[in-house]
Amino acid sequence: EVKLSSTRQATAAMFFYAVANVVLDLKLKQYNRFVLMFGYSIFIFTTACIGRYILQPLLKLPGSTTIPLGSDLGWMAFLGVLFALADVFYVGAYTDGGNLITVTAISLLFPVFSNLIQNVWVRNLPNGWQVLGYTLGVLAMLAVGYGSSIKK
């Protein structure tokens, strides 16, 4: 059984997302967002099939191999819609004139949005440390954006 720590997997994901951002910014932003999404979705589907039918059994990866049913199928569909909508706007940020620094600086707010949404979902008020984190996240995004706008 192959098991990578969640920290290593998240770090690998961030690396691949960083490379994807550079490719979008330097090589593909002249194309329509939906053309790009269609193209890379073919590769995502292929990778998912290879993973599900070849790698999962070969490597004995953890987790259920059954397709979710009932309400879990609905949540999976909702997740698909969320990822699709996120990509419409994320890829569109590049194809509509954004650049690497602007788009990735805004992504610094990812943990802020995630934590706020989770707190709303479970009906919790954020604590002082979380509010401080939200504030620092916004300040970091503004600092990177401002620093990128200064001409050398």
Side-chain angles (χ1 to χ4, degrees):
E1 182 175 303
V2 175
K3 177 115 170 85
L4 289 175
S5 72
S6 57
T7 302
R8 286 183 179 173
Q9 290 187 66
T11 302
M14 290 303 100
F15 172 79
F16 291 122
Y17 281 132
V19 174
N21 277 280
V22 172
V23 170
L24 273 169
D25 190 44
L26 298 179
K27 299 294 183 183
L28 296 172
K29 70 189 208 176
Q30 71 273 20
Y31 294 99
N32 176 281
R33 69 183 83 192
F34 296 109
V35 169
L36 293 172
M37 289 174 62
F38 179 80
Y40 67 68
S41 292
I42 293 168
F43 292 99
I44 291 171
F45 178 75
T46 304
T47 303
C49 288
I50 291 169
R52 167 62 178 89
Y53 295 106
I54 297 171
L55 296 178
Q56 177 83 29
L58 185 68
L59 301 176
K60 295 180 176 40
L61 298 170
S64 173
T65 58
T66 61
I67 301 292
L69 299 173
S71 65
D72 287 344
L73 180 60
W75 284 114
M76 188 174 68
F78 182 60
L79 189 63
V81 169
L82 290 174
F83 278 124
L85 288 173
D87 275 9
V88 165
F89 293 106
Y90 198 76
V91 173
Y94 283 104
T95 62
D96 290 346
N99 61 46
L100 184 72
I101 296 300
T102 304
V103 175
T104 57
I106 292 169
S107 70
L108 290 170
L109 293 177
F110 189 75
V112 171
F113 287 142
S114 296
N115 189 258
L116 278 169
I117 291 166
Q118 184 179 39
N119 277 327
V120 169
W121 192 296
V122 298
R123 295 186 176 115
N124 275 343
L125 288 175
N127 62 39
W129 288 105
Q130 290 169 320
V131 172
L132 176 63
Y134 304 156
T135 305
L136 292 174
V138 170
L139 290 174
M141 182 203 64
L142 292 173
V144 170
Y146 178 74
S148 298
S149 69
I150 298 173
K151 302 287 184 213
K152 292 180 182 180

